[in-house]
Amino acid sequence: MSFPRTVLNDSVIVHPPGFYIIGFLKIPSVSVYFIFLAFVYAVTVLFNSLLIYVVVSNRCLHTPKFLAVVNLAVIDLVLNTCTIPSMIKIFLMKDNFIPFNLCFVQMFVYYTCGSLESYALAILAYDRLIAICFPLRQNSINTLRTMTCIVSLKWCVCLAATAFVTIIMTRLSFCRSVRVFSYFCDYAPVFRLACNDYTMHWSAASGMTFMSLGLPLIFICVSYLSILGTVFRMKSLGSRFKALATCVEHLILVTIFYIPLLVIFLIGFFLRVIEPDQRVLCLSLASCIPPCVNPIVYSLKTKEIKVKLVTLLHNVP
């Protein structure tokens, strides 16, 4: 197979026309799964768009907490839009080919949104930490301007880090297989196809995983340890319950996002008892379900949003 070649630093870099995504080709009854994915995507778009509209259109919801909620909803929309339509295309059109440049665009968007999702949950943990541990200083510490700066900084860092790890992929030569065993242009399955050294890319992937998943999870755990310490120092049982109740929706989101990823990682990489096809299926579910569930959880568990949604529905002719 002959691939176009480009010269980079006096060495020949071989770039194929594109890659073939083969993660779903061996899964039985895959058509049922893609119908389910279409439903998940429709719910994702509907509820996240509705949540964004309700928060943006109501000035009383223009608070640091709901800025963080809208930030999460935007990330959820982009994340599922990046992967689910392409997965459905593979099933409907029987076309699992993705052009070379589009592959890296998808890779960049997916990993940027994955990192942003993780940090968005950490930001929501920060909001709960300030609200419960520093209730008298909450309005002066966690202002709308402060939250805007935190969210903006998080976007800049994630965009820059993901851009770096994606750009260095263009230094690899792909002169052998172009079959990517995943459900999208996944980073590790792609660089493993290279016919030159990818040690730097392995290190970059490991560092990116720790930065985008490990650090936010550590911060969330430390935040809730501080929250629990503050709650148990409260004298009134009612105050304890009320404080913990404000964390329920966030804890649900954290559980939905992190637990499946940790379980798949531990079973797949350490115990090695999960089949490759099952791993791809589980990872795709772990990626697609949280953006669908997140807005529903916040809509049902947050009183302010429920009230606005009910008002909005009553005003519909």
Side-chain angles (χ1 to χ4, degrees):
M1 184 180 294
S2 178
F3 297 149
R5 296 171 180 236
T6 58
V7 177
L8 182 63
N9 293 337
D10 300 323
S11 62
V12 177
I13 304 298
V14 181
H15 287 169
F19 298 94
Y20 291 91
I21 309 299
I22 61 169
F24 292 111
L25 299 184
K26 297 179 181 180
I27 298 176
S29 304
V30 71
S31 58
V32 177
Y33 180 59
F34 282 110
I35 293 171
F36 172 72
L37 282 182
F39 171 76
V40 167
Y41 184 61
V43 172
T44 300
V45 173
L46 175 62
F47 280 92
N48 279 292
S49 300
L50 190 59
L51 180 60
I52 294 170
Y53 172 77
V54 168
V55 174
V56 171
S57 62
N58 292 273
R59 294 189 63 85
C60 62
L61 296 181
H62 292 182
T63 63
K65 174 184 177 179
F66 290 109
L67 172 60
V69 171
V70 166
N71 171 61
L72 180 62
V74 171
I75 296 166
D76 288 339
L77 269 175
V78 178
L79 180 59
N80 270 5
T81 299
C82 167
T83 53
I84 293 182
S86 65
M87 286 192 279
I88 293 175
K89 185 198 78 167
I90 293 174
F91 166 67
L92 291 179
M93 301 182 182
K94 307 297 182 182
D95 178 13
N96 63 335
F97 178 78
I98 182 168
F100 184 83
N101 290 331
L102 186 58
C103 173
F104 289 101
V105 170
Q106 185 187 49
M107 184 186 297
F108 170 75
V109 174
Y110 177 87
Y111 280 103
T112 299
C113 289
S115 300
L116 288 169
E117 179 103 359
S118 186
Y119 276 98
L121 294 175
I123 290 173
L124 287 167
Y126 161 79
D127 176 79
R128 292 298 85 210
L129 175 70
I130 300 299
I132 294 173
C133 297
F134 307 96
L136 299 179
R137 299 173 57 196
Q138 178 184 3
N139 293 332
S140 60
I141 297 176
N142 191 24
T143 64
L144 192 58
R145 181 177 181 179
T146 302
M147 183 61 77
T148 302
C149 291
I150 292 173
V151 170
S152 300
L153 178 63
K154 177 205 66 170
W155 274 81
C156 291
V157 170
C158 290
L159 286 168
T162 312
F164 170 75
V165 298
T166 305
I167 289 171
I168 62 174
M169 289 283 283
T170 61
R171 301 177 63 90
L172 292 175
S173 286
F174 301 94
C175 49
R176 294 196 294 263
S177 174
V178 290
R179 293 160 60 87
V180 180
F181 193 82
S182 186
Y183 59 98
F184 74 108
C185 258
D186 203 349
Y187 194 81
V190 170
F191 74 60
R192 288 195 185 103
L193 300 177
C195 48
N196 52 346
D197 181 53
Y198 52 75
T199 303
M200 179 175 65
H201 305 80
W202 178 265
S203 300
S206 302
M208 186 71 178
T209 300
F210 177 73
M211 188 195 81
S212 60
L213 294 177
L215 288 180
L217 183 57
I218 291 171
F219 177 81
I220 291 170
C221 292
V222 172
S223 297
Y224 273 101
L225 287 175
S226 301
I227 288 172
L228 287 174
T230 301
V231 168
F232 286 128
R233 285 196 298 269
M234 294 177 179
K235 297 180 179 180
S236 168
L237 186 61
S239 298
R240 293 180 183 181
F241 179 79
K242 184 178 179 180
L244 291 175
T246 64
C247 301
V248 171
E249 64 267 20
H250 179 252
L251 287 172
I252 293 173
L253 303 191
V254 169
T255 302
I256 292 171
F257 181 76
Y258 284 106
I259 295 301
L261 292 177
L262 292 175
V263 169
I264 295 168
F265 177 79
L266 291 173
I267 293 177
F269 287 90
F270 289 101
L271 301 180
R272 298 185 182 277
V273 296
I274 185 171
E275 295 294 328
D277 289 331
Q278 295 173 344
R279 179 176 174 272
V280 170
L281 182 64
C282 292
L283 280 175
S284 65
L285 280 171
S287 170
C288 297
I289 295 300
C292 171
V293 176
N294 290 349
I296 299 175
V297 171
Y298 258 103
S299 298
L300 295 178
K301 297 296 294 182
T302 308
K303 181 180 178 181
E304 298 94 331
I305 294 179
K306 279 197 296 186
V307 171
K308 296 299 179 183
L309 282 174
V310 171
T311 304
L312 180 65
L313 292 174
H314 283 169
N315 292 334
V316 175

